[in-house]
Every structure is written in C-alpha cells, then in structure tokens.
Amino acid sequence: MNIFTRTYYIYRRWLKAVRLFLLAAGPGIIVMVADNDAGGITTYTATGAKYGLHLLWFLVLLGPVAYYVQEMTVRLGAVTKRGHAEAIFSAFGRFWGWFSLLDLVLTDWLTMITEFIGMTAAMSIFHVPRLLTIAVVWLVMGAMIFSGRYWTWEKIALLFVGINLIYIPAAFMVHPAVKDILYNSVVPHFPPGGFTNDLFFLLMANIGTTIAPWMLFFQQSSVVDKGLHEKDIAFGKIDTAIGSVFTVVVAMVLIIVTGKLLYGQPVNDAAVAATSIMPTSRVIGTLIAIGLFDAGLLGAICISLASSWAFGEIFGWAHSLNNKVKEAPWFYAYYFFDLMLAGTVVLIPRAPLVLITLFVQVIATTLLPAALVFLILLLNDKKTMGESVNTRWQNIVNIGIVAVIILLSTMYGISTLFPNMFK
Amino acid sequence: MLRNIFSNSYAKVREINDKYRTPGIEMSGGVKLALFALRLYLICLIGLSFYKFVTLLK
C-alpha cells in the first residue's frame, strides 16, 4: 500500500467515524447546553459580580462532574431502551417510582417558571411586553414538535444551542488578563472574605444549575427516543463530553464578563446584569440579553419534554417525538399543559417570582442525591446493565461525586436552620 | 365527564401500582442500606427546606 492509498484509507475511516458521530450526537450537547438555562445564567452572573474570577476553578471542577453523571444515563438508556422514570419504577418499585416522578414534576414546573421569568426579563430590555414574549415562546415550542419527527426537533434544538454560545465573543471584548483566568481556573481557593453563608449559597446554586434531576430524565429519554443502541454508547459519551465543555465555557465566559464589568455590584438577576452593562458596552449587554432569552427557551424546551416523556413512560401513553399529535395526544397535551401553566404563573401580578427563582436551584440540589443514588444502583445492577455495568473506577468517581453532593446538601440544610454558622 | 376522568385516572394509578408492586432490582444488603439512608436523608432535608421557605414567606 503506497502513502496515498494509506492516507485515503485512514481519511475514509475517520470520515466514517465522524459521520456516525454526527448521527448519534445531539442529546448530550443539547442537555449540557440547556443546563446553562435562565437560572444558570443568573447564577453565573451573580457569582461573577460578587466574587469576580475567584470561583472559576469551581466551574472547571463541575464540568467533569456533570459529564460523569450524564454519561451514566447514556449507558442506561442505550442498554435498557427505557426512560429514566420507567427504569426507577421498574427497579425500585412504586414508592420510589412515584417519589421520583412527583419530584421531577415539582422541580420541572418550578424550573419552567424560572425559564419564563428569564425570557420575559430578557425581552423586557428590548421593550417587548411579557404577554407577547410568552405567546411567541408558546408558538415556537409548539411549532418545534408539530413535525412529528425527533430529527427535526433535535436540529432546531441544536440551532438554539448554537445561539447559546453567543456569550463567548463577550469574553474577548472585556479583554481579561489570561494570567488571571488561568490562575483562578486551576488553583482552588476561596474569595477574599473566606467561607461565608453567601459563598456557600452560591456554590450550592452553581451545583444545582450544573447537575439537575431533569437532566438525567431528559438525556436518558432522549437517547431512547433517538434510538441509540449499545454500539452507539462511545459516540454518546463523546457527545456528552463536548456538551460538558460547552457548558463550562459558557459559565466561565459569563463569570469573566460580569467579574470584569460588574465586580462588587449587587446582581441577583441576569437581566439586571445585562441592563447594568449596557452603559459600558451596549453590544455586551445585548449579547447577554439575547443569550438569556435563548437559555430560557432551550431550558423550557428540554424541561417540558423531560416531564412529558416521564409521564408517557409510566402511564403507558405513546411518548415519542416521532409520533404525530394525533398519535400521542396525552404526551403532547402534558407538554403544552406544563408550558401554559408555567407561562401563566409569570403573568400573575405580584407572584413571588424572585423567591421561586431562588428556591428552584436549592430544591433541585437537595433532591439531586436521590436521583444520583438511583442512578448508581441501577448502573451497578448486572441484570439491568449486562456488560455496560459500572466499572470499579466509574464507581469510585461517581460514588465520590454523590458523597460530596450529599455532604454539601446536608450542610446547606443545616445552615438554613443556623444561618450564622459559616459567618 | 369530570367523574369519568377521575375514575379513569384512579384506575390507571392502581394499574401502575400493581405493575410495579415488586422492585425489579436485586435487593442486596447494600441496596437496602442505600434506600434506607436515602429515606432518612430526604425526610430531614425536605423538612429543613420547607422550614426555610415558610419562614422566608412570613
């Protein structure tokens, strides 16, 4: 074989692999980027404004954590061909099944409200009325699923994923010192002031926004709906790894931008951050506002589907995006019900929206250990997983992650009773 | 009509409960311990979060 034939052979093999990857990719990238939803963007802007670049290392750590957790859902979905809700019911029985389903419904609904809050707040910067924003979102989300094809839905979702990366140019526009970014990204340390209750709350909010129960349900159901098999697991893992890089990059960019432009200012809302940045840089402020709207939309798309898939699996409804509305009426009815209910709450005058936003991340973090424990037990069940059962190394990493999250959640729980504990 | 919806839903829930009556996973000592610890953990943390929510609303 001469050099040309060999190069052509290698090139063809790689091209084939890339093509196969592009066919299998989607759920991982979508779930990871949707993870940077409106609540997430708010958390990152608040973190940057309060602590500057000091917590970049924490976000860098959360990337692999999110990857390891989500990668398990890829294997579980591809091997069992069942969604996460059905897997829990089937493995742990009705008590834990209902607990997980109701837990998902509650956190999803609260999170959906925060997505609508984010979207309406972002569009209000451009003087678009709340009602109009919500109506347009309902229309867009309705149009996405009416094709009755998973592929169409996924391509549109990937378009929104692309828009979510709009923040990246903003980081270059604030001219950060590369040395500072590198130092704060790789050297774990607490910001000046030490470990306080505020810092702890923000750390918990960052965990809550990076790993959430809906993500487990969404990615596993998405893997099943897409029809991935065991042979596609490797591609699913790469897909998830790329997504986790995106999610960390977007989070870091937001912290860099707000840490540079709003350091020391009280920011507890991404829309406020965008408005505050406008006088300094109209372009960056606009990018943040557009990104916030897109983040809310992407989050709402995935979260409403996570619940609909879960209900479909348990109640035995047809529950695939490959079904037309006539073929899966209850699946789509629940999808719209969730959407309408969350949007309507935002329109209610004097609804405690800030309190809801605040609590949704924390509730999600508190309930996350349950979802993670189920995941690890399922991934260790040889009968369920066969050859794809967790290896010893995966167990060490995953059990370590769960242990840390449980410890932090418990500390948070105690600190709510004794607020001055970390002061 | 409402009565029909409720009775159908109730029947469906009972059907689901029957279908998933027994856990499918092998109930080893480790699994039992993990589920027991989870129960305790959740009771404590949900209680604490609820307490915080109520006191913030006041």
Side-chain angles (χ1 to χ4, degrees):
Chain A
M1 219 179 350
N2 64 34
I3 188 162
F4 294 108
T5 321
R6 208 180 313 148
T7 313
Y8 175 71
Y9 177 73
I10 294 168
Y11 168 77
R12 264 193 60 173
R13 225 172 47 166
W14 274 98
L15 197 69
K16 195 181 168 194
V18 170
R19 270 196 205 140
L20 282 172
F21 168 70
L22 290 176
L23 283 173
I29 293 176
I30 292 171
V31 76
M32 285 295 193
V33 177
D35 168 37
N36 285 338
D37 59 353
I41 303 299
T42 290
T43 306
Y44 304 139
T45 51
T47 306
K50 190 154 180 75
Y51 296 112
L53 308 184
H54 290 289
L55 292 179
L56 281 179
W57 61 271
F58 191 70
L59 269 303
V60 173
L61 271 184
L62 285 179
V65 169
Y67 165 77
Y68 274 107
V69 171
Q70 291 301 129
E71 173 272 333
M72 286 195 278
T73 64
V74 175
R75 277 187 285 144
L76 192 53
V79 172
T80 62
K81 312 282 183 295
R82 283 194 299 218
H84 201 59
E86 198 181 348
I88 291 174
F89 261 94
S90 170
F92 302 104
R94 57 194 180 185
F95 172 78
W96 288 114
W98 285 116
F99 166 79
S100 299
L101 191 64
L102 297 176
D103 164 12
L104 180 77
V105 169
L106 175 71
T107 47
D108 277 7
W109 185 64
L110 286 172
T111 314
M112 282 277 285
I113 294 171
T114 67
E115 308 304 354
F116 276 96
I117 294 170
M119 286 187 278
T120 50
M123 294 317 283
S124 71
I125 295 171
F126 306 113
H127 309 292
V128 178
R130 268 185 188 187
L131 186 61
L132 182 61
T133 305
I134 290 173
V136 169
V137 169
W138 283 343
L139 279 175
V140 170
M141 289 179 69
M144 278 182 77
I145 46 118
F146 269 109
S147 68
R149 286 191 66 203
Y150 176 88
W151 286 98
T152 311
W153 174 87
E154 190 179 87
K155 278 174 196 152
I156 301 171
L158 283 170
L159 175 74
F160 291 127
V161 165
I163 298 173
N164 199 266
L165 306 179
I166 201 169
Y167 296 112
I168 295 173
F172 292 97
M173 292 166 78
V174 297
H175 307 295
V178 178
K179 195 180 73 179
D180 287 349
I181 295 175
L182 283 177
Y183 173 79
N184 287 294
S185 300
V186 296
V187 181
H189 62 281
F190 289 127
F195 192 74
T196 61
N197 229 19
D198 285 349
L199 172 64
F200 185 49
F201 190 86
L202 266 182
L203 292 179
M204 289 296 288
N206 275 290
I207 294 176
T209 192
T210 311
I211 317 146
W214 69 262
M215 292 170 66
L216 309 178
F217 285 81
F218 174 85
Q219 191 168 4
Q220 190 171 333
S221 297
S222 185
V223 161
V224 174
D225 208 354
K226 186 161 182 165
L228 296 189
H229 300 284
E230 279 176 84
K231 63 180 168 51
D232 304 315
I233 288 176
F235 290 125
K237 285 183 178 183
I238 299 171
D239 177 39
T240 310
I242 293 173
S244 67
V245 171
F246 282 157
T247 199
V248 171
V249 167
V250 168
M252 287 178 73
V253 160
L254 277 160
I255 288 185
I256 291 167
V257 171
T258 51
K260 205 69 181 142
L261 300 179
L262 300 174
Y263 188 43
Q265 290 184 38
V267 171
N268 52 14
D269 182 341
V272 170
T275 316
S276 309
I277 288 172
M278 286 283 188
T280 319
S281 168
R282 199 165 175 76
V283 178
I284 297 177
T286 307
L287 288 179
I288 291 184
I290 295 171
L292 175 62
F293 175 79
D294 180 70
L297 185 61
L298 197 56
I301 289 166
C302 295
I303 292 163
S304 54
L305 266 177
S307 295
S308 308
W309 267 322
F311 264 94
E313 288 156 18
I314 301 308
F315 280 81
W317 308 331
H319 58 274
S320 170
L321 285 170
N322 287 318
N323 291 129
K324 300 274 182 205
V325 175
K326 269 187 192 170
E327 296 161 347
W330 286 105
F331 171 65
Y332 289 113
Y334 185 82
Y335 173 83
F336 279 108
F337 173 72
D338 219 13
L339 210 60
M340 298 278 176
L341 203 61
T344 310
V345 168
V346 179
L347 291 174
I348 297 171
R350 284 185 294 172
L353 301 181
V354 176
L355 204 60
I356 291 172
T357 311
L358 202 70
F359 265 87
V360 73
Q361 305 291 1
V362 177
I363 289 176
T365 313
T366 310
L367 297 176
L368 185 64
L372 294 177
V373 167
F374 294 142
L375 197 58
I376 286 180
L377 293 178
L378 280 166
L379 267 287
N380 277 291
D381 190 34
K382 184 87 178 158
K383 197 170 76 181
T384 308
M385 293 303 297
E387 291 306 307
S388 300
V389 72
N390 259 4
T391 60
R392 182 176 293 181
W393 170 243
Q394 283 167 331
N395 269 334
I396 291 170
V397 174
N398 291 324
I399 292 172
I401 289 169
V402 173
V404 171
I405 291 174
I406 290 178
L407 182 72
L408 287 174
S409 301
T410 312
M411 279 168 68
Y412 174 75
I414 295 167
S415 74
T416 56
L417 267 188
F418 307 101
N420 296 322
M421 194 170 169
F422 298 112
K423 278 189 177 169
Chain B
M1 188 190 164
L2 263 180
R3 184 185 261 190
N4 263 347
I5 291 175
F6 277 113
S7 63
N8 285 343
S9 306
Y10 182 68
K12 189 72 202 174
V13 169
R14 282 190 61 167
E15 188 190 316
I16 293 167
N17 283 341
D18 287 340
K19 185 177 172 187
Y20 299 108
R21 184 177 293 275
T22 20
I25 199 166
E26 192 190 329
M27 279 290 171
S28 63
V31 173
K32 278 183 189 165
L33 183 71
L35 293 180
F36 176 72
L38 193 59
R39 252 176 232 253
L40 284 182
Y41 169 82
L42 287 170
I43 289 167
C44 293
L45 271 188
I46 290 173
L48 285 172
S49 301
F50 187 71
Y51 169 83
K52 171 106 180 179
F53 192 77
V54 170
T55 46
L56 267 182
L57 273 181
K58 275 181 183 174

